[in-house]
Amino acid sequence: MIIHFHYSLTPHTGDVKRIINIDKEFANYFNEDTIEVIFCPVSQLKRVRGRDFFMLSKHTRTKYCIPLIPHSEFINQYYKSIIIAILCIVYKAKVLVGEWYFPSKMVGLIKLLTPKIRIFADIHGAMVEEQLYLNPSIEKKRVAKLRKCENYTMTSADYVICQSTAMKDYIHSTYNIPQDKIIVYRCGYDPNAFTYDWSKRNEIRKELGIKTNDSLFVYSGGLQKWQRIDDCLNVFKHYHEQNSDSKMLILTTEQSLIAQILQKKEYKDITDAIISMSVPFNSVSSYLNACDIAFLIRDVVTMNIVASPTKLAEYFACGLPVISSNVAEHWVDEEAKPYILDINSKTLNKDIDHTLNSTNRSKISEYAYNNLSLNKDHDTITSYLKSLTSNQP
């Protein structure tokens, strides 16, 4: 049996997609069912067990939604450790996978009770760096606590799974974790859901009222501050001033927020050129295929350097070049760098024109399939797990 615990309370998020993929990989490889464990505040328990209840996959035999003890962060660390340890014993677990971070003393307790179990920590990003980026005024005491938690998780796990080569290097240099203990499992895209399909182009453009030769930009995703939607709009505005036949498609579930943003004075000249809508996830690929170039702009900070954005993979899978910052150089190898335009280029409009006129979209899609798909992730983790089990006494 596999015990898989995490802290994600809402279905369909990027974190949950990754957790689901990890769960499937382990369940299929070890040919074992999963016991899913989630810890949540008492105030969220009704929602988590009701409207937002989900199971990771068909391999999930049982899901436990465990309420945390209110206002007892210190006690909860031991409380979670004891519960997970008990489940490991009850279900005779061979493997434990934990997402993000481990509660205090958990590994020592589990190893004492079930010494043969293999423990994997799936680290989704640089947690401390992310908190420093999102909250620059965070107390030093809080940072030290987060660093201690991250260090415990990395050093106590048998193996660490992370999302990029840059993150692997960060873990190795920051926490002195041996390179061969770290597995890179990117946040890959599903090639069955995202693919380059030229036949969708005219169909969707007709639906949107976009002419055949109009240049169609696209942004797909949330509108949090770190997504830099204003920078996307300003790049499009500057391009539209010189190319009036250009349009921009915004795919987001946050329609009321994007409506507020577009009411700003600086965007009054481009509102007629912008189409904003929310579409089901299984339709996103079709809309991306109707577009010509995409936005994925991020600040150049550690949190983003070590990332492996699924959105980049999905854009590439549909053959789209991407406007980003030079942080994107850390997300791809040399082969794919020509497919990324730097927002800080002094000749960005010309760069866009050149890209629109010369890019081979099939090549971009091919690169995505070979390097950024779940197929690639599957091959990587299967090879690693085989190396572990082949060395098993």
Side-chain angles (χ1 to χ4, degrees), residues 317-330:
C318 296
L320 293 175
V322 172
I323 298 170
S324 186
S325 64
N326 58 12
V327 72
E329 294 180 2
H330 299 277

Side-chain angles (χ1 to χ4, degrees), residues 18-288:
R18 176 179 176 83
I19 295 167
I20 287 171
N21 292 332
I22 292 285
D23 190 79
K24 289 178 180 177
E25 295 287 0
F26 276 78
N28 285 326
Y29 182 82
F30 289 103
N31 194 27
E32 297 278 353
D33 286 341
T34 298
I35 301 300
E36 182 183 348
V37 185
I38 184 169
F39 295 97
C40 64
V42 172
S43 61
Q44 300 294 317
L45 195 60
K46 183 177 179 180
R47 172 179 68 83
V48 171
R49 287 180 175 173
R51 183 185 75 235
D52 286 340
F53 183 81
F54 65 91
M55 287 188 175
L56 292 180
S57 72
K58 65 180 182 181
H59 304 286
T60 303
R61 178 185 293 185
T62 303
K63 177 172 182 174
Y64 291 97
C65 300
I66 309 294
L68 294 169
I69 302 170
H71 314 297
S72 304
E73 184 178 352
F74 177 78
I75 296 174
N76 274 323
Q77 293 297 311
Y78 294 91
Y79 168 71
K80 288 185 284 187
S81 297
I82 292 169
I83 288 176
I84 295 170
I86 290 172
L87 291 173
C88 287
I89 295 171
V90 170
Y91 289 101
K92 297 181 174 66
K94 296 179 180 178
V95 174
L96 171 72
V97 182
E99 306 290 339
W100 281 104
Y101 61 89
F102 290 172
S104 300
K105 312 300 181 182
M106 183 196 78
V107 174
L109 181 59
I110 291 174
K111 288 289 189 179
L112 177 65
L113 300 172
T114 56
K116 292 184 178 180
I117 195 170
R118 294 175 183 267
I119 299 179
F120 294 79
D122 182 29
I123 307 300
H124 297 198
M127 178 174 64
V128 178
E129 306 299 338
E130 181 174 337
Q131 291 302 312
L132 287 169
Y133 173 78
L134 296 175
N135 182 17
S137 61
I138 188 171
E139 295 180 358
K140 290 183 179 179
K141 185 177 180 180
R142 176 63 178 166
V143 173
K145 187 175 182 179
L146 290 171
R147 183 73 71 187
K148 182 179 180 180
C149 176
E150 196 168 70
N151 180 64
Y152 171 72
T153 302
M154 305 282 192
T155 56
S156 64
D158 294 320
Y159 309 101
V160 177
I161 310 169
C162 68
Q163 77 282 8
S164 70
T165 302
M167 184 64 186
K168 181 175 181 177
D169 293 339
Y170 171 84
I171 293 170
H172 173 68
S173 60
T174 306
Y175 297 107
N176 197 31
I177 307 299
Q179 293 271 7
D180 59 1
K181 179 180 170 177
I182 308 170
I183 317 160
V184 175
Y185 186 91
R186 298 181 185 277
C187 304
Y189 77 95
D190 182 354
N192 295 314
F194 289 85
T195 186
Y196 176 52
D197 185 353
W198 185 259
S199 68
K200 293 292 184 181
R201 182 179 176 85
N202 290 335
E203 175 187 332
I204 299 298
R205 281 182 166 240
K206 184 177 180 180
E207 173 193 322
L208 298 176
I210 305 295
K211 296 178 182 178
T212 303
N213 294 322
D214 287 352
S215 300
L216 184 57
F217 293 64
V218 64
Y219 172 80
S220 176
L223 302 177
Q224 298 93 333
K225 184 177 179 180
W226 54 270
Q227 303 274 17
R228 294 179 59 174
I229 186 64
D230 282 293
D231 289 311
C232 300
L233 290 169
N234 284 319
V235 169
F236 174 71
K237 177 183 176 181
H238 185 59
Y239 185 83
H240 186 71
E241 288 171 353
Q242 298 179 17
N243 302 270
S244 58
D245 58 352
S246 57
K247 302 288 190 295
M248 182 173 174
L249 175 63
I250 300 176
L251 301 174
T252 184
T253 58
E254 301 176 76
Q255 287 300 302
S256 58
L257 180 54
I258 191 62
Q260 293 177 28
I261 293 172
L262 292 174
Q263 287 176 359
K264 295 179 181 179
K265 289 182 180 180
E266 59 261 41
Y267 303 136
K268 66 177 183 178
D269 294 334
I270 60 171
T271 52
D272 290 342
I274 292 178
I275 302 168
S276 178
M277 60 195 302
S278 177
V279 301
F281 179 74
N282 59 8
S283 298
V284 172
S285 178
S286 295
Y287 284 87
L288 294 183

Side-chain angles (χ1 to χ4, degrees), residues 8-23:
S8 297
L9 308 182
T10 306
H12 311 305
T13 63
D15 283 341
V16 169
K17 290 175 188 175
R18 176 179 176 83
I19 295 167
I20 287 171
N21 292 332
I22 292 285
D23 190 79

